[in-house]
Amino acid sequence: AAVSRGLRWLSRQQFPDGRWKPEEFPRVDGRRASSPGATRSDTAATSLALLPFLGAGQTPRSGIYRDHVARGLRWLLSVQKENGDLRHDSPSNTAMYAHGQAAIVLCEAFVTSGGDEALRGPAQKAIDFIVEAQHPDGGWRYEPGEAGDTSILGWQLMALQSARNAGLYVPQHVLDNAGNFLSTVESRDGAFYSYLPGQDPTHVMTAEALLCRMYLGRRPEHAGMQLGIRTLLKKHPPRRNDPNIYYWYYASQAFHHYGGKEWEEWNRQMRDVLVFTQEQKGPDAGSWEPKGPYSGSGGRLYMTSLATCTLEVYYRHLPIFRRIEFAER
C-alpha cells in the first residue's frame, strides 16, 4: 500500500512533456506539493522517478502507469546525445550521477519491456559512455576521465550491472578496474570503505561499496563482507530520528543480496520506518518529507523516489533487484 501511494504521488508530479523536475512541481487540483529540491537536473529527477515505476512492474506497454513510463522514457531519449551522453542540463557536480541513473533506467526498461529493440541502442550507448568516462585507476567522478570517488562509482556500477542483466556488452576490464579502485578505499579486508582514497571510512560509503563488491563477484562468505554487513546492522540500523535515504537505498540492496537473518532484521526495521514516515494527507500524501543528508538538494521527489525503490527491493521486478547468483560467478 505504501508503494502504491508513492507511485500515485510521483505520477501526479510528471510534467506534460514526460519529465520530472526536482526544483518544481506542477499544480494538481489547485495545489502544489511542498519541499522542492534546490538542485536542478531534469535527467536525474526523471530517472529517479521512473525507477520505482519499473520496480513495481510498470512498463511502457503494461500497467496502470504505462503512459507515464512511456512519456518519461521518450523524454530521456529526446535529450540523449549521439555518443550516449544523458547528462543534459545537470550541473557538473551531479552530471555523472544523472547519467548513471538514466543509464540504469534505459537498461531496466529494455529488460522489463521484453527486449524492446527501440531501447537496445540507446541503452548500449549510455553504457558505452560510462565505459569511456572511466578513469585509468578504475573510478568515475564529476567529469569523464576524472579520478574517481566511491559515491559516483556506485551508480555507474549499478548501470553496468543492469546492462549485464540485460545482455548488453560490458567490457570485463572496466569491471576489473572498478574493483581496483574499490581496493584503494577499503580497510579491514574489505569490510569498510571511504569516499576517497586516504579518507576515513563511513557507513554510507561502506554500504554502497559492499553492494558494488557483490556485483563484482564477492560472496557473502567473505570475511570482510560479513564484518561490514554485521557492523552496519549493529551500529547503523534504520532509525526514524536519523534519516539518510541515500544510505538506506544502498544498504537495503546490500542486505537483500547478502540474505539470511541480517537481511530479515534490516528489512523489518527499514520497512517500518518508511511506512511510518510516509505523508498521509494533502498534496504531499504518498510522499516522504526530505530529511537527512543531501535531501535538500533533491527535495521531496528525490526522497520519495528512493524511499519507494527501497520498499520495492524484494519485489524483484527490476533485474537489478534480483538476488545475485554468486555460485555462477
Side-chain angles (χ1 to χ4, degrees):
V3 168
S4 295
R5 291 191 293 268
L7 294 179
R8 183 172 185 271
W9 183 87
L10 286 168
S11 72
R12 293 160 69 88
Q13 310 316 314
Q14 188 178 31
F15 283 82
D17 65 358
R19 81 181 82 184
W20 280 263
K21 301 180 180 182
E23 85 290 357
E24 181 183 355
F25 297 126
R27 189 175 294 276
V28 179
D29 297 332
R31 297 184 294 179
R32 296 184 194 273
S34 68
S35 305
T39 300
R40 174 171 183 171
S41 174
D42 293 355
T43 296
T46 301
S47 302
L48 289 175
L50 283 172
L51 272 176
F53 288 104
L54 295 170
Q58 304 290 308
T59 78
R61 299 177 179 176
S62 63
I64 62 174
Y65 294 114
R66 60 183 177 274
D67 290 340
H68 295 78
V69 175
R71 291 202 310 273
L73 288 172
R74 281 197 299 269
W75 185 84
L76 279 181
L77 295 178
S78 75
V79 301
Q80 186 178 36
K81 294 182 178 179
E82 183 60 30
N83 66 348
D85 186 357
L86 285 154
R87 293 174 295 171
H88 185 48
D89 61 343
S90 306
S92 61
N93 64 334
T94 63
M96 283 305 295
Y97 283 107
H99 178 84
Q101 292 155 0
I104 295 167
V105 166
L106 293 184
C107 292
E108 301 292 278
F110 172 61
V111 174
T112 57
S113 64
D116 185 347
E117 288 300 316
L119 293 171
R120 180 190 294 273
Q124 183 65 64
K125 285 184 177 181
I127 294 301
D128 294 344
F129 186 84
I130 291 174
V131 170
E132 292 298 319
Q134 188 179 38
H135 185 268
D137 290 342
W140 290 266
R141 208 166 188 214
Y142 300 143
E143 297 291 338
E146 188 177 358
D149 68 58
T150 305
S151 182
I152 292 181
L153 177 140
W155 291 101
Q156 312 314 311
L157 261 189
M158 191 178 292
L160 296 175
Q161 175 73 3
S162 294
R164 289 202 294 181
N165 288 335
L168 300 175
Y169 176 63
V170 178
Q172 184 60 43
H173 75 269
V174 173
L175 303 174
D176 294 340
N177 285 344
N180 292 338
F181 174 83
L182 289 173
S183 295
T184 70
V185 293
E186 74 174 13
S187 56
R188 297 284 298 276
D189 191 28
F192 310 117
Y193 292 82
S194 62
Y195 174 64
L196 290 172
Q199 293 184 350
D200 292 334
T202 70
H203 63 288
V204 181
M205 292 299 98
T206 294
E208 186 167 351
L210 289 177
L211 177 64
C212 291
R213 284 297 198 190
M214 292 180 192
Y215 288 157
L216 297 173
R218 182 163 292 178
R219 299 172 60 87
E221 293 83 4
H222 185 274
M225 183 71 66
Q226 293 184 354
L227 177 59
I229 286 288
R230 291 169 182 171
T231 301
L232 291 181
L233 184 60
K234 180 179 180 180
K235 295 187 175 180
H236 304 281
R239 296 189 181 100
R240 281 181 292 184
N241 61 356
D242 186 23
N244 189 330
I245 194 59
Y246 189 94
Y247 166 60
W248 292 347
Y249 174 68
Y250 271 110
S252 292
Q253 293 183 73
F255 276 93
H256 171 64
H257 290 305
Y258 186 84
K261 62 182 182 181
E262 289 84 3
W263 156 244
E264 293 174 4
E265 178 60 22
W266 174 274
N267 183 51
R268 181 186 64 79
Q269 296 184 50
M270 186 75 269
R271 176 196 61 204
D272 290 350
V273 166
L274 289 178
V275 171
F276 181 86
T277 56
Q278 189 178 36
E279 302 275 9
Q280 301 295 322
K281 298 179 180 179
D284 297 331
S287 68
W288 280 264
E289 181 182 358
K291 292 183 177 180
Y294 307 111
S295 60
S297 296
R300 190 173 293 274
L301 183 76
Y302 160 83
M303 191 82 179
T304 301
S305 296
L306 290 188
T308 308
C309 277
T310 299
L311 287 171
E312 291 175 348
V313 164
Y314 46 87
Y315 285 16
R316 306 185 195 180
H317 285 302
L318 284 186
I320 205 166
F321 289 169
R322 293 176 191 154
R323 277 276 170 75
I324 296 172
E325 298 296 335
F326 292 101
E328 297 178 2
R329 297 283 172 85

